[in-house]
Amino acid sequence: MIVQLTPVEVLIGLGIVVALFAVWRASARAAHRASEATRAGARLMSLTGRVLLTAATIVGVQWIVIVNPGNTVLLLSVLAVPALLASYTLTRALTVTTLDTPQRRSRRR
């Protein structure tokens, strides 16, 4: 059984294969973008939840110590520790850091 195809039929077949490949790649890229967007949203919500929980814990402990006065050292430590954590976080966030990598040298002499 010998199949004889004209050049037009071969080109049509190749066009169909290329089109199917392009559609497959486009759908794979779209799926990848959608999964990345989902992960980014989940990370943001996770970070927001942790920040709110930590803030609520700090405020709760401070409120308990302030409402029940009597120990000045405890009061100052409860107020100072969150201030230290906040200053560390702000300092890291506002500090400009660079990654100085050596330039790729050409081998010309």
Side-chain angles (χ1 to χ4, degrees):
M1 178 170 148
I2 297 176
V3 177
Q4 294 182 354
L5 298 174
T6 65
V8 173
E9 293 172 338
V10 171
L11 286 176
I12 290 173
L14 286 175
I16 290 172
V17 169
V18 169
L20 287 174
F21 181 74
V23 168
W24 174 72
R25 289 286 294 157
S27 65
R29 285 182 182 161
H32 183 70
R33 281 192 299 267
S35 68
E36 285 297 319
T38 302
R39 278 192 217 113
R43 283 191 295 259
L44 177 62
M45 292 308 294
S46 176
L47 177 63
T48 303
R50 285 183 286 180
V51 167
L52 291 176
L53 181 65
T54 304
T57 303
I58 290 171
V59 168
V61 170
Q62 286 178 341
W63 180 79
I64 289 170
V65 171
I66 291 171
V67 168
N68 300 315
N71 192 344
T72 307
V73 174
L74 182 63
L75 176 65
L76 291 176
S77 65
V78 165
L79 294 175
V81 169
L84 288 173
L85 293 173
S87 66
Y88 173 76
T89 303
L90 283 174
T91 302
R92 285 206 46 178
L94 297 176
T95 301
V96 177
T97 58
T98 60
L99 180 61
D100 295 328
T101 57
Q103 295 293 325
R104 193 173 200 179
R105 296 181 186 174
S106 63
R107 295 192 180 207
R108 294 184 215 168
R109 291 185 183 191

